[in-house]
Amino acid sequence: MKRVVITGMGCVTPVGNTVESFWDSLKNGVCGIDIITSFDTSDLKVKIAAQVKDYDPAQYMEKSEIRRSDKFVQFALGAASQAVEDSGIKDNVDPERFGVYYGSGIGGFDTFVSECDTLREKGPGRVSPLFIPKMISNIGAGNIAIKFGAKGPCVCVTTACATGTTAIGEALRTIRGGYADAIIAGGVDASVSPLAIAGFTNCTALTENPDPKAACCPFDKRRSGFIMGEGAGALILEEYEHAKARGAKIYAEIVGYGSTCDAFHVTAPDSEATQSARAIAECYKECGIQDCSKIYINAHGTSTPLNDKTETKAIKTVFGEKAYDVHISSTKSMTGHLLGAAGAVEAIAAILALRDGIVPPTIGYCEKDEECDLDYTPNKAVKADIELSMSTSLGFGGHNACIGFRKI
């Protein structure tokens, strides 16, 4: 198999709109969750979220493009533009060997809501002709391909909260198989709105804790649901010899991927953790690192009662007693749950943890849960000699995905 490396990264998140600011926030335990001020929450049970702050799409798009695109596309193009510039790939790859594997869990939610309002209030003749091309989930991937002339495989992945991780993993397999030399991979979502919050609240997924600094506490006994977030992450995956030949900067080698489905329930994870453990095990088997004290897992860690104990069980199933030696943290404690973007953004965190030898913390952790008793790096970052970093994602519909990185 061909080897695959990461040569560029970009992100738009609630704790920073560049890779550098994002990583500084994570290392210092900065919380991006706050009271929602962008719309009226008086009728909502949940009034907090992790929203992107001070993002200017005009850094990456023309004004006419901004007007014709949903917020999720604006975030996606920002993250992808950063990654492409960081990698220097744009003029150093055959366009027909340059692909895009980029997903969204929900797509253009703001556009969907606003055009439904238009239909109801003004009639079908006033619905925008841009409604469909602004809303459909694949338009993020499509716009990225158009902007950078990527004429190779272009795939929109939608596996709910596992979207970003699945996109990266499938891009890995595509390059390994010789179908592309470089791929822009990742995920995006921008759906913090009254309708989405009401929907997630009524299916009992969100916490109703009103305290922005305490509501998201992954693996803590007091956890009661996740916090909605928004953002985008993008990585440049490149065939190793191609990257080496052009003298590219290499962050890490991507060495493992596992993908399974619980085939159990539309929202709840299978508490037996059989298939989530298998996704982690398949990834781990490809990675070839045995010393668990040198492994970091950026956990899915949503702060929901079921997810965190199920994920803990999955990790124990894979590593046995050595699971207690593994460094683990949930950066969702700071970013909230970025849905389709989560896996991409968390992959960036895992790569930077590997590069710098720093495990970012799980903030808000106070009360130990007997069913979640591993090393979750509570509240403060720690230095560690990391040889393998992994990122796990578990999505609605039973989607499980895990990717692994090591130094090169």
Side-chain angles (χ1 to χ4, degrees):
M1 292 187 298
K2 294 179 182 292
R3 296 171 67 185
V4 182
V5 293
I6 306 300
T7 59
M9 302 190 295
C11 65
V12 176
T13 80
V15 295
N17 297 330
T18 64
V19 169
E20 292 78 12
S21 59
F22 164 70
W23 183 231
D24 283 344
S25 293
L26 294 192
K27 289 186 295 184
N28 291 291
V30 174
C31 182
I33 301 163
D34 210 338
I35 302 295
I36 297 169
T37 58
S38 56
F39 53 83
D40 182 9
T41 62
S42 57
D43 292 334
L44 297 172
K45 293 179 181 179
V46 173
K47 304 177 188 297
I48 60 175
Q51 294 180 277
V52 169
K53 305 163 188 70
D54 303 319
Y55 175 68
D56 181 8
Q59 290 181 277
Y60 311 104
M61 306 169 67
E62 298 296 329
K63 288 182 180 179
S64 60
E65 294 177 305
I66 296 169
R67 288 194 300 269
R68 298 168 69 88
S69 64
D70 187 271
K71 184 165 66 173
F72 94 106
V73 170
Q74 296 170 19
F75 286 171
L77 285 173
S81 296
Q82 293 174 33
V84 168
E85 181 177 2
D86 184 35
S87 71
I89 190 68
K90 176 67 167 63
D91 298 316
N92 291 287
V93 63
D94 179 349
E96 294 185 355
R97 302 279 299 169
F98 190 23
V100 178
Y101 275 58
Y102 206 88
S104 176
I106 298 178
F109 203 80
D110 280 358
T111 297
F112 177 81
V113 171
S114 65
E115 293 302 324
C116 284
D117 289 343
T118 298
L119 175 65
R120 184 180 63 252
E121 296 167 6
K122 299 179 181 179
R126 299 296 296 276
V127 172
S128 172
L130 297 173
F131 171 42
I132 301 301
K134 286 177 67 175
M135 178 199 70
I136 51 179
S137 296
N138 73 300
I139 211 68
N143 271 286
I144 291 170
I146 291 166
K147 185 174 182 67
F148 299 110
K151 298 178 181 179
C154 184
V155 177
C156 173
V157 174
T158 299
T159 52
C161 309
T163 292
T165 303
T166 307
I168 295 166
E170 295 301 320
L172 166 68
R173 289 179 175 173
T174 298
I175 297 174
R176 276 179 171 176
Y179 297 102
D181 292 326
I183 293 177
I184 305 168
V188 61
D189 263 316
S191 53
V192 178
S193 72
L195 180 59
I197 287 177
F200 277 119
T201 300
N202 292 347
C203 74
T204 68
L206 300 186
T207 180
E208 295 181 23
N209 185 331
D211 183 353
K213 306 307 177 189
C216 190
C217 51
F219 304 106
D220 189 293
K221 194 168 188 175
R222 302 163 301 138
R223 67 190 186 277
S224 57
F226 75 78
I227 299 290
M228 277 197 72
E230 61 182 5
L235 299 89
I236 306 300
L237 278 66
E238 188 171 351
E239 194 272 323
Y240 173 60
E241 295 297 337
H242 187 278
K244 189 169 69 169
R246 70 181 185 89
K249 170 185 61 184
I250 295 174
Y251 284 100
E253 182 175 4
I254 177 166
V255 288
Y257 172 50
S259 177
T260 65
C261 185
D262 287 347
F264 172 74
H265 190 271
V266 293
T267 57
D270 183 353
S271 61
E272 293 300 312
T274 306
Q275 298 308 317
S276 50
R278 187 164 68 91
I280 297 170
E282 288 182 357
C283 175
Y284 180 51
K285 184 179 179 180
E286 290 185 357
C287 292
I289 302 287
Q290 298 301 317
D291 188 345
C292 290
S293 68
K294 295 186 177 183
I295 296 174
Y296 165 57
I297 297 177
N298 187 296
H300 191 57
T302 58
S303 191
T304 62
L306 280 176
N307 175 91
D308 295 5
K309 70 177 183 180
T310 301
E311 189 170 12
T312 297
K313 186 172 184 177
I315 293 169
K316 288 181 176 180
T317 298
V318 175
F319 296 101
E321 284 301 312
K322 292 183 178 180
Y324 293 91
D325 297 332
V326 177
H327 300 279
I328 305 166
S329 69
S330 171
T331 48
K332 287 185 180 70
S333 60
M334 294 172 274
T335 66
H337 192 347
L338 307 189
L339 307 180
V345 168
E346 289 159 16
I348 293 170
I351 290 165
L352 295 175
L354 178 70
R355 183 194 69 180
D356 294 350
I358 296 175
V359 178
T362 304
I363 68 169
Y365 185 94
C366 295
E367 188 174 344
K368 185 175 180 179
D369 184 339
E370 295 78 8
E371 294 183 287
C372 299
D373 60 346
L374 300 177
D375 178 7
Y376 305 113
T377 320
N379 299 309
K380 289 187 178 181
V382 299
K383 293 185 177 180
D385 181 13
I386 303 168
E387 292 185 358
L388 171 67
S389 62
M390 303 170 74
S391 179
T392 59
S393 295
L394 316 176
F396 278 10
H399 300 285
N400 307 303
C402 182
I403 49 179
F405 305 93
R406 70 182 179 201
K407 295 177 183 177
I408 192 166

